[in-house]
Amino acid sequence: MTIEDKSVDTIVIGGGLVGAAMTYGLLRAGQRVIMLDEGDVALRASRGNFGLVWVSSKGEFMPEYARWSRRSADVWAEFAGELEQDSGISPAYHKPGGLSFCLSEDELARKREQIERMSGYNGNLGYGAEMLDRQQMDEIFPGLGPDVLGGAYSPHDGHASPLHLLRALHKAIQIRGGRYVNEATAQTIEKDGTGYAVSTAKGSFRGAQVVLAAGHGNRWLAPMVGLDLPLIPEKGEILVTERARSLMPMPTHLLRQTAEGTIMMGDSHEDTGYSTASRTSVMSDLARHAIRCFPALAQLRIVRSWGAVRILTPDGCPIYQQSQTHPGVFSVNCHSGVTLAGAHALALAPALAQGALGPEFDAFHSRRFANGTVHASAH
């Protein structure tokens, strides 16, 4: 087995949304980068992403994550524009704001409590989310079902196409001189002089730094470099309708209309291990809930559905950290690869290009789970 390209600055393990955003950001920072991808045998959470760039409910019990999500949303327009200019592919990003529906008094009380708790998290930037009564909801989102009592609106929420985003990142990586190696599952990571050697079926690659961005694969790679990552599989199911005229002025926490006109329904959470097999009962519940919120969906045909095993940490917030035993090896783990793509490319990757995670990332270290107290936040 040969060692290839001894001069690369960073090897990124993982070619999904997180790995590709990190690779793109490192290339922007002037690094030479190899991105190793497992190939289509991977769980591919990136291709099961719902596509929300969502701020209003993230980090309820972790203000640092609320601010990090907001920072990403604030740079998303710049990120999307630059990516389209580089790749010629638009990630179809739109920021019309977002709605959350409440169908009971308990849900209204819970949402009101969440907004009150998070209202001070963003300082001078402001939070912006507010409760709406049914009349106010009707004025900005016509066609709601009678069971919707009210909800919340945030001007900082939006949505994008996960598939277009992933394709644009891969194309831009090639154009910026990055090297993409497919079907190259990382088998071992070992110290090699002042850097690291990563062995794969496609050969061994050496870099001064390594970024673990392999989704669930990080759980198995982490022990090789002295890390312990508490990652949990969570399956989500998505239903997609036939194309329709413009029905939805903005995305919601469980529905969004794509640029092509199809409507996506999501918001299921299942513990099925690493199985992506779909269950009729879950799909039926999703459709029933969606129609209850927006009855016009009952007139549309479902044309596709899929399940994806998403990455979750015990509190739903990201883990970013450098190995203490293997300096120069970083791990990037999160559930929201679309929401955080802007921050990953324009803020986290430049930090790693400097060789360190600054104090602003301390809160995202996995040591926060050490005392066993976990407040799960919306993710």
mmCIF file of all heavy atoms in Angstrom, residues 21 24 28 75-84 91 165 169 338 341-343 345-346:
data_model
loop_
_atom_site.group_PDB
_atom_site.id
_atom_site.type_symbol
_atom_site.label_atom_id
_atom_site.label_comp_id
_atom_site.label_asym_id
_atom_site.label_seq_id
_atom_site.Cartn_x
_atom_site.Cartn_y
_atom_site.Cartn_z
ATOM 1 N N ALA A 21 -18.830 20.744 3.648
ATOM 2 C CA ALA A 21 -18.765 22.150 4.057
ATOM 3 C C ALA A 21 -17.417 22.464 4.701
ATOM 4 O O ALA A 21 -16.836 23.534 4.468
ATOM 5 C CB ALA A 21 -19.903 22.473 5.027
ATOM 6 N N TYR A 24 -14.782 22.550 1.882
ATOM 7 C CA TYR A 24 -14.915 23.805 1.122
ATOM 8 C C TYR A 24 -14.329 24.974 1.919
ATOM 9 O O TYR A 24 -13.584 25.805 1.381
ATOM 10 C CB TYR A 24 -16.393 24.030 0.822
ATOM 11 C CG TYR A 24 -16.692 25.302 0.063
ATOM 12 C CD1 TYR A 24 -16.264 25.481 -1.252
ATOM 13 C CD2 TYR A 24 -17.410 26.335 0.670
ATOM 14 C CE1 TYR A 24 -16.545 26.641 -1.945
ATOM 15 C CE2 TYR A 24 -17.697 27.504 -0.013
ATOM 16 C CZ TYR A 24 -17.266 27.659 -1.312
ATOM 17 O OH TYR A 24 -17.552 28.821 -1.995
ATOM 18 N N ARG A 28 -11.141 27.369 0.995
ATOM 19 C CA ARG A 28 -11.268 28.842 0.983
ATOM 20 C C ARG A 28 -10.163 29.494 1.817
ATOM 21 O O ARG A 28 -9.710 30.601 1.523
ATOM 22 C CB ARG A 28 -12.621 29.275 1.567
ATOM 23 C CG ARG A 28 -13.797 29.167 0.658
ATOM 24 C CD ARG A 28 -15.063 29.675 1.354
ATOM 25 N NE ARG A 28 -15.183 31.128 1.365
ATOM 26 C CZ ARG A 28 -14.977 31.894 2.424
ATOM 27 N NH1 ARG A 28 -14.603 31.366 3.580
ATOM 28 N NH2 ARG A 28 -15.143 33.202 2.358
ATOM 29 N N VAL A 75 -24.943 34.167 7.987
ATOM 30 C CA VAL A 75 -23.953 34.133 6.894
ATOM 31 C C VAL A 75 -24.411 33.261 5.735
ATOM 32 O O VAL A 75 -23.688 33.137 4.731
ATOM 33 C CB VAL A 75 -22.565 33.644 7.392
ATOM 34 C CG1 VAL A 75 -22.051 34.541 8.506
ATOM 35 C CG2 VAL A 75 -22.599 32.189 7.847
ATOM 36 N N TRP A 76 -25.601 32.646 5.871
ATOM 37 C CA TRP A 76 -26.032 31.691 4.835
ATOM 38 C C TRP A 76 -26.173 32.342 3.455
ATOM 39 O O TRP A 76 -25.832 31.744 2.436
ATOM 40 C CB TRP A 76 -27.339 31.006 5.236
ATOM 41 C CG TRP A 76 -27.250 29.509 5.224
ATOM 42 C CD1 TRP A 76 -27.074 28.675 6.293
ATOM 43 C CD2 TRP A 76 -27.323 28.660 4.077
ATOM 44 N NE1 TRP A 76 -27.037 27.363 5.886
ATOM 45 C CE2 TRP A 76 -27.183 27.320 4.530
ATOM 46 C CE3 TRP A 76 -27.476 28.879 2.713
ATOM 47 C CZ2 TRP A 76 -27.219 26.226 3.670
ATOM 48 C CZ3 TRP A 76 -27.501 27.779 1.845
ATOM 49 C CH2 TRP A 76 -27.371 26.476 2.322
ATOM 50 N N ALA A 77 -26.686 33.582 3.408
ATOM 51 C CA ALA A 77 -26.867 34.236 2.106
ATOM 52 C C ALA A 77 -25.509 34.444 1.425
ATOM 53 O O ALA A 77 -25.356 34.194 0.216
ATOM 54 C CB ALA A 77 -27.594 35.559 2.282
ATOM 55 N N GLU A 78 -24.521 34.904 2.192
ATOM 56 C CA GLU A 78 -23.166 35.077 1.644
ATOM 57 C C GLU A 78 -22.598 33.735 1.196
ATOM 58 O O GLU A 78 -22.020 33.618 0.108
ATOM 59 C CB GLU A 78 -22.268 35.691 2.724
ATOM 60 C CG GLU A 78 -20.800 35.785 2.316
ATOM 61 C CD GLU A 78 -19.909 36.155 3.505
ATOM 62 O OE1 GLU A 78 -20.458 36.456 4.591
ATOM 63 O OE2 GLU A 78 -18.675 36.104 3.340
ATOM 64 N N PHE A 79 -22.780 32.725 2.051
ATOM 65 C CA PHE A 79 -22.289 31.378 1.739
ATOM 66 C C PHE A 79 -22.935 30.843 0.459
ATOM 67 O O PHE A 79 -22.253 30.326 -0.441
ATOM 68 C CB PHE A 79 -22.601 30.479 2.940
ATOM 69 C CG PHE A 79 -22.458 29.008 2.710
ATOM 70 C CD1 PHE A 79 -21.228 28.444 2.415
ATOM 71 C CD2 PHE A 79 -23.565 28.164 2.806
ATOM 72 C CE1 PHE A 79 -21.096 27.076 2.213
ATOM 73 C CE2 PHE A 79 -23.445 26.807 2.618
ATOM 74 C CZ PHE A 79 -22.205 26.257 2.309
ATOM 75 N N ALA A 80 -24.270 30.969 0.352
ATOM 76 C CA ALA A 80 -24.983 30.450 -0.816
ATOM 77 C C ALA A 80 -24.554 31.171 -2.084
ATOM 78 O O ALA A 80 -24.365 30.549 -3.142
ATOM 79 C CB ALA A 80 -26.491 30.593 -0.601
ATOM 80 N N GLY A 81 -24.385 32.498 -1.990
ATOM 81 C CA GLY A 81 -23.981 33.262 -3.164
ATOM 82 C C GLY A 81 -22.599 32.887 -3.658
ATOM 83 O O GLY A 81 -22.367 32.713 -4.862
ATOM 84 N N GLU A 82 -21.672 32.728 -2.713
ATOM 85 C CA GLU A 82 -20.308 32.365 -3.084
ATOM 86 C C GLU A 82 -20.259 30.949 -3.658
ATOM 87 O O GLU A 82 -19.555 30.673 -4.627
ATOM 88 C CB GLU A 82 -19.394 32.474 -1.864
ATOM 89 C CG GLU A 82 -17.938 32.217 -2.179
ATOM 90 C CD GLU A 82 -17.039 32.462 -0.977
ATOM 91 O OE1 GLU A 82 -17.269 33.460 -0.251
ATOM 92 O OE2 GLU A 82 -16.129 31.652 -0.750
ATOM 93 N N LEU A 83 -21.035 30.067 -3.060
ATOM 94 C CA LEU A 83 -21.054 28.676 -3.530
ATOM 95 C C LEU A 83 -21.610 28.596 -4.944
ATOM 96 O O LEU A 83 -21.091 27.862 -5.794
ATOM 97 C CB LEU A 83 -21.902 27.844 -2.563
ATOM 98 C CG LEU A 83 -21.855 26.333 -2.709
ATOM 99 C CD1 LEU A 83 -20.430 25.806 -2.575
ATOM 100 C CD2 LEU A 83 -22.757 25.679 -1.651
ATOM 101 N N GLU A 84 -22.667 29.358 -5.214
ATOM 102 C CA GLU A 84 -23.240 29.359 -6.564
ATOM 103 C C GLU A 84 -22.256 29.952 -7.564
ATOM 104 O O GLU A 84 -22.128 29.472 -8.689
ATOM 105 C CB GLU A 84 -24.561 30.126 -6.576
ATOM 106 C CG GLU A 84 -25.229 30.100 -7.958
ATOM 107 C CD GLU A 84 -26.606 30.727 -7.947
ATOM 108 O OE1 GLU A 84 -27.050 31.218 -6.883
ATOM 109 O OE2 GLU A 84 -27.250 30.738 -9.026
ATOM 110 N N PRO A 91 -27.913 26.515 -4.268
ATOM 111 C CA PRO A 91 -28.485 25.639 -3.242
ATOM 112 C C PRO A 91 -29.936 25.958 -2.928
ATOM 113 O O PRO A 91 -30.504 25.410 -1.997
ATOM 114 C CB PRO A 91 -27.593 25.904 -2.023
ATOM 115 C CG PRO A 91 -27.063 27.281 -2.209
ATOM 116 C CD PRO A 91 -26.955 27.493 -3.696
ATOM 117 N N LEU A 165 -27.391 21.593 -2.434
ATOM 118 C CA LEU A 165 -26.278 22.064 -1.603
ATOM 119 C C LEU A 165 -25.110 21.082 -1.652
ATOM 120 O O LEU A 165 -23.949 21.480 -1.832
ATOM 121 C CB LEU A 165 -26.762 22.251 -0.164
ATOM 122 C CG LEU A 165 -25.685 22.562 0.887
ATOM 123 C CD1 LEU A 165 -24.939 23.844 0.551
ATOM 124 C CD2 LEU A 165 -26.317 22.648 2.280
ATOM 125 N N LEU A 169 -21.453 21.858 -3.244
ATOM 126 C CA LEU A 169 -20.225 21.764 -2.461
ATOM 127 C C LEU A 169 -19.205 20.860 -3.144
ATOM 128 O O LEU A 169 -18.018 21.195 -3.245
ATOM 129 C CB LEU A 169 -20.544 21.246 -1.053
ATOM 130 C CG LEU A 169 -21.158 22.257 -0.081
ATOM 131 C CD1 LEU A 169 -21.704 21.554 1.160
ATOM 132 C CD2 LEU A 169 -20.135 23.317 0.329
ATOM 133 N N VAL A 338 -27.510 21.183 7.236
ATOM 134 C CA VAL A 338 -27.898 22.293 6.360
ATOM 135 C C VAL A 338 -27.849 23.608 7.123
ATOM 136 O O VAL A 338 -27.208 24.568 6.690
ATOM 137 C CB VAL A 338 -29.298 22.051 5.763
ATOM 138 C CG1 VAL A 338 -29.777 23.291 5.008
ATOM 139 C CG2 VAL A 338 -29.275 20.861 4.819
ATOM 140 N N ALA A 341 -24.268 24.660 7.760
ATOM 141 C CA ALA A 341 -23.305 24.633 6.651
ATOM 142 C C ALA A 341 -22.590 25.976 6.504
ATOM 143 O O ALA A 341 -21.380 26.034 6.243
ATOM 144 C CB ALA A 341 -24.003 24.258 5.349
ATOM 145 N N GLY A 342 -23.320 27.077 6.669
ATOM 146 C CA GLY A 342 -22.693 28.392 6.537
ATOM 147 C C GLY A 342 -21.624 28.611 7.589
ATOM 148 O O GLY A 342 -20.501 29.047 7.284
ATOM 149 N N ALA A 343 -21.942 28.307 8.841
ATOM 150 C CA ALA A 343 -20.968 28.491 9.926
ATOM 151 C C ALA A 343 -19.811 27.511 9.809
ATOM 152 O O ALA A 343 -18.656 27.859 10.096
ATOM 153 C CB ALA A 343 -21.662 28.328 11.279
ATOM 154 N N ALA A 345 -18.500 26.302 7.056
ATOM 155 C CA ALA A 345 -17.600 26.699 5.972
ATOM 156 C C ALA A 345 -16.900 28.028 6.269
ATOM 157 O O ALA A 345 -15.708 28.187 5.966
ATOM 158 C CB ALA A 345 -18.378 26.801 4.662
ATOM 159 N N LEU A 346 -17.629 28.989 6.849
ATOM 160 C CA LEU A 346 -17.082 30.342 6.961
ATOM 161 C C LEU A 346 -16.524 30.678 8.335
ATOM 162 O O LEU A 346 -15.899 31.729 8.502
ATOM 163 C CB LEU A 346 -18.164 31.371 6.588
ATOM 164 C CG LEU A 346 -18.817 31.230 5.208
ATOM 165 C CD1 LEU A 346 -19.643 32.469 4.883
ATOM 166 C CD2 LEU A 346 -17.792 30.989 4.110
#
